[in-house]
Amino acid sequence: MIVSFDTRLLSGLGALAAVVDSGSFVRAAEPLGMTDSGVSRAVSRLEARVGIRLLDRTTRSLRLTDEGARFYERVAPLLEEIQEAAAMAGGASISARGRLRVDVDAFLGQTLIAPRLPEFFAAHPGLSVELETRRSVGDLVADGIDLGLRFGPPTTASMVSRKLLDTRVLTVASPDYLRRHARPTVPEDLSGHACIMFRDPIGGHPFEWEFHRGTQVVPVAVGGPLMVGDVGTMIQACLAGAGIAQMLHLFVAEHVESGRLVELFPEWRDETFPLHAVLPSRNFVPAKIRVFLDFVLGILADGGPRITDPRT
């Protein structure tokens, strides 16, 4: 069977991918072995071929149009598959290579991922990683993000997400705080205590406190003189005795085990909070994303919380 294929279409797709990845025609030209004007013409031909404008061009920036983002979301995984197929045909083993851009929860990246990166790069020398943190995951394709790692439920139904773990929510205080204040024995006692509030980065309001025991859920109105917007500050303030805090077991397990923090209501610890991997596409997950997810799952398994493999 003879298959007719427009090679200019594949060339245009490669040029578009290089522009999206690099952010400009000039930076896309060198790895493609083309001039910047040649890259621009290739993208223009692709736009004429598919009948839509793919890029909004200004003198200072380039960005995918809404139609271009939807188009690129479909074709980008296929380009990754073509690259891997070419590697297989050439006799090379499939390996992760190139650049991986990950939008990661700030404290997760700082405390769990960053310390283990040397072993990741030793195992995958052909791969470079960009870690960044934004207020929200947003549009992965339009922003050139390969993978998002975020706590909480997915913010939109359109996102492709896989749960990596559920970690318990603990209510903790330092021994110093408990020496200076009567230890609360039930959640309702918290109304008379200084509680460290955590600001929701999306809505801007403080998270409400709840206590779960089996199917029983008890909301408790709390307050205090301190509100924070990042986990690291909250942990340090709680360790210093500034108040009582609700925090994820994943982040404070070491402090609880060492006695630097005391869990207050171990019988009310059934509330959990999920960590999700957010992907641009459900199908054709590139090797570079798969190996990074394996790396993250290994870190989480070492920490002990219940793990769910996102690829199953």
Side-chain angles (χ1 to χ4, degrees):
M1 180 179 65
I2 299 176
V3 179
S4 177
F5 184 79
D6 186 351
T7 57
R8 292 173 298 178
L9 178 62
L10 184 58
S11 175
L13 292 173
L16 176 65
V19 171
V20 171
D21 189 49
S22 65
S24 77
F25 291 124
V26 174
R27 288 191 293 271
E30 183 176 352
L32 292 175
M34 303 170 65
T35 63
D36 56 332
S37 59
V39 175
S40 179
R41 287 194 298 271
V43 173
S44 296
R45 286 194 295 267
L46 177 63
E47 290 176 321
R49 174 69 172 78
V50 299
I52 59 174
R53 190 176 80 258
L54 299 171
L55 294 171
D56 281 329
R57 305 163 172 85
T58 70
T59 56
R60 294 186 176 183
S61 66
L62 292 171
R63 64 178 298 274
L64 286 166
T65 64
D66 291 343
E67 296 84 357
R70 288 192 292 268
F71 175 77
Y72 189 70
E73 182 178 1
R74 296 290 301 274
V75 302
L78 302 178
L79 291 174
E80 294 275 1
E81 288 294 305
I82 291 173
Q83 291 176 344
E84 291 190 2
M88 291 179 63
S93 61
I94 298 178
S95 61
R97 62 190 64 189
R99 182 179 65 162
L100 177 69
R101 297 188 66 199
V102 182
D103 181 275
V104 62
D105 172 87
F107 199 70
L108 178 71
Q110 176 186 343
T111 59
L112 297 183
I113 294 178
R116 300 280 293 272
L117 283 174
E119 64 188 73
F120 177 79
F121 291 127
H124 305 286
L127 186 60
S128 64
V129 177
E130 292 184 14
L131 297 179
E132 57 182 85
T133 299
R134 301 176 298 168
R135 184 173 293 274
S136 63
V137 173
D139 188 333
L140 298 183
V141 173
D143 295 339
I145 301 296
D146 299 297
L147 173 67
L149 296 172
R150 286 306 182 107
F151 286 97
T155 54
T156 66
S158 62
M159 290 185 179
V160 179
S161 63
R162 298 290 185 271
K163 185 188 291 185
L164 301 185
L165 73 93
D166 284 310
T167 184
R168 294 187 184 278
V169 178
L170 305 185
T171 306
V172 296
S174 71
D176 177 63
Y177 178 88
L178 296 176
R179 280 192 296 268
R180 293 182 286 110
H181 303 82
R183 176 169 176 165
T185 58
V186 295
E188 289 81 359
D189 290 344
L190 291 174
S191 59
H193 282 268
C195 294
I196 302 173
M197 309 305 294
F198 190 79
R199 181 185 295 108
D200 182 345
I202 304 300
H205 52 77
F207 280 107
E208 297 178 350
W209 287 30
E210 291 182 346
F211 296 85
H212 295 225
R213 182 171 61 186
T215 58
Q216 186 179 5
V217 179
V218 175
V220 176
V222 298
L226 177 62
M227 181 183 295
V228 299
D230 71 276
V231 176
T233 300
M234 181 169 61
I235 291 176
Q236 292 303 314
C238 191
L239 287 168
I244 297 172
Q246 280 198 335
M247 290 184 278
L248 301 182
H249 175 263
L250 181 67
F251 292 148
V252 297
E254 181 180 350
H255 297 307
V256 173
E257 291 168 5
S258 69
R260 298 183 67 199
L261 291 176
V262 177
E263 183 181 0
L264 296 182
F265 312 113
E267 70 278 15
W268 289 91
R269 63 193 317 249
D270 290 341
E271 181 183 6
T272 61
F273 208 61
L275 173 67
H276 282 91
V278 186
L279 307 168
S281 173
R282 188 180 305 277
N283 301 314
F284 307 113
V285 179
K288 62 183 181 181
I289 296 179
R290 294 198 301 267
V291 298
F292 196 81
L293 280 177
D294 285 340
F295 166 65
V296 172
L297 285 168
I299 294 173
L300 297 176
D302 289 345
R306 177 166 58 84
I307 305 299
T308 301
D309 191 324
R311 294 161 299 161
T312 60

